[in-house]
Amino acid sequence: MKNISWYALTRYCWVRAIYGFLRALGPDPVAINGTAKLNSHLLKISDFNVKEAALNIKTESWTTLPSLCEDAVKSIYEYSLTGKGRRPSFNKDEEVYLSDIIDGKLVSGEPAIMLRVNPDGCNVINDLSEDPTLMDLAEAYLGYKPRHVEAQLLWSFHKVDMSLKERHRLAQAVFYHWDSMAVNGFRVNYYLTDVDEGAGAHVLIPKSHKRKPLKYIFTKSTTADEQPLLDYYGSPELIVGKAGSGFAQDVNGFHKALPPETADRLHLHLRYT
């Protein structure tokens, strides 16, 4: 019961605010990986305003980001073609490559609707995780300098004949939910392929990161019925874009991914804590 109570308390925005205040009082981390900050050379930055972007997240739960440079998109995409990965929700020790998957299945016939590629060997992802613009945005939103950045590089495949319930069982986030892996949930997202409604677009419900009815705070965060959410919060936001387009989100707000139907999707996200 003690763990359940703490889990529930972290759903309150005032609890997250107190946590952020206490973190801000602590010593500043020198750098995420012990290295000095690099100049931002991976993003197409023109008139991006960090303060305005942080305010957008605070009020709406999300904001658009500067796009990745073409060379960065190409490097990450090419890395994903040969990088070692595994299927989410399956054996963590398994070793699967993109070439092992055809039409959402392994050669053995086992389902492989997603492939989580290990990002550690990609220098561009490592540099992007310490990009000064993204780090400044994380600090402006969280209220403290993040100590850790967790990267995830994920393929989602189309040509898969599977129900939403079965996709959910295999860890594909096709139902509205919020992420509960940390007190504060700030995440940067980049599409590495062109994404529209048929190619696995991300969908979120603006302003759902702060005011939640009690029934959502004290129940599982992994699934929520769509219509009651829309009745309470209003219309969702469908996020589409070309390869390299990005957005940041407070993942304490409700969101989901549409199952790809017309094209595979490659997606990178960075979680700052």
Side-chain angles (χ1 to χ4, degrees), residues 186-250:
F186 174 79
R187 192 168 72 189
V188 162
N189 306 265
Y190 276 103
Y191 292 148
L192 284 312
T193 51
D194 293 347
V195 174
D196 58 18
E197 188 171 357
H202 188 84
V203 185
L204 59 84
I205 300 179
K207 301 180 180 179
S208 62
H209 59 314
K210 288 189 175 181
R211 49 187 184 91
K212 287 188 175 68
L214 287 178
K215 67 177 182 179
Y216 293 123
I217 294 175
F218 291 100
T219 57
K220 290 183 178 180
S221 66
T222 53
T223 56
D225 292 334
E226 179 170 335
Q227 196 55 52
L229 287 175
L230 301 186
D231 290 342
Y232 185 80
Y233 290 110
S235 301
E237 187 79 33
L238 177 72
I239 302 179
V240 300
K242 295 290 186 180
S245 59
F247 59 96
Q249 178 190 4
D250 184 332

Side-chain angles (χ1 to χ4, degrees), residues 94-111:
E94 77 170 3
E95 193 171 298
V96 179
Y97 295 85
L98 185 63
S99 58
D100 297 327
I101 301 172
I102 300 176
D103 293 342
K105 293 182 180 179
L106 299 179
V107 175
S108 64
E110 293 182 88

Side-chain angles (χ1 to χ4, degrees), residues 127-262:
D127 288 347
L128 186 64
S129 70
E130 293 194 20
D131 181 271
T133 299
L134 299 181
M135 291 291 289
D136 287 346
L137 177 59
E139 181 179 359
Y141 181 68
L142 294 173
Y144 53 85
K145 292 183 179 180
R147 296 191 179 99
H148 306 284
V149 181
E150 177 186 340
Q152 187 176 110
L153 183 61
L154 187 69
W155 275 106
S156 300
F157 305 112
H158 77 304
K159 295 184 179 180
V160 176
D161 184 15
M162 188 176 290
S163 69
L164 293 180
K165 288 186 177 180
E166 185 65 10
R167 289 174 181 273
H168 174 70
R169 189 184 70 81
L170 295 177
Q172 193 167 36
V174 292
F175 292 118
Y176 279 116
H177 65 285
W178 80 86
D179 295 349
S180 56
M181 73 286 288
V183 177
N184 283 316
F186 174 79
R187 192 168 72 189
V188 162
N189 306 265
Y190 276 103
Y191 292 148
L192 284 312
T193 51
D194 293 347
V195 174
D196 58 18
E197 188 171 357
H202 188 84
V203 185
L204 59 84
I205 300 179
K207 301 180 180 179
S208 62
H209 59 314
K210 288 189 175 181
R211 49 187 184 91
K212 287 188 175 68
L214 287 178
K215 67 177 182 179
Y216 293 123
I217 294 175
F218 291 100
T219 57
K220 290 183 178 180
S221 66
T222 53
T223 56
D225 292 334
E226 179 170 335
Q227 196 55 52
L229 287 175
L230 301 186
D231 290 342
Y232 185 80
Y233 290 110
S235 301
E237 187 79 33
L238 177 72
I239 302 179
V240 300
K242 295 290 186 180
S245 59
F247 59 96
Q249 178 190 4
D250 184 332
V251 291
N252 287 295
F254 285 100
H255 58 281
K256 68 176 181 177
L258 297 180
E261 296 177 349
T262 59

Side-chain angles (χ1 to χ4, degrees), residues 75 79 83-84 117-126:
S75 293
Y79 172 83
K84 179 176 69 175
V117 181
N118 187 332
D120 294 345
C122 182
N123 292 331
V124 174
I125 293 177
N126 292 333

Side-chain angles (χ1 to χ4, degrees), residues 33-100:
N33 293 318
T35 57
K37 280 188 176 181
L38 304 171
N39 290 326
S40 185
H41 64 287
L42 299 174
L43 304 178
K44 296 179 179 179
I45 297 176
S46 55
D47 57 350
F48 182 70
N49 187 302
V50 169
K51 290 184 178 180
E52 287 183 3
L55 181 60
N56 286 340
I57 304 174
K58 289 177 181 178
T59 56
E60 298 295 324
S61 81
W62 77 288
T63 191
T64 56
L65 292 175
S67 296
L68 285 173
C69 296
E70 286 83 358
D71 287 346
V73 173
K74 181 180 179 181
S75 293
I76 300 174
Y77 181 88
E78 291 180 348
Y79 172 83
S80 76
L81 300 180
T82 57
K84 179 176 69 175
R86 68 177 182 88
R87 295 170 295 167
S89 81
F90 286 82
N91 188 342
K92 292 184 178 180
D93 295 325
E94 77 170 3
E95 193 171 298
V96 179
Y97 295 85
L98 185 63
S99 58
D100 297 327

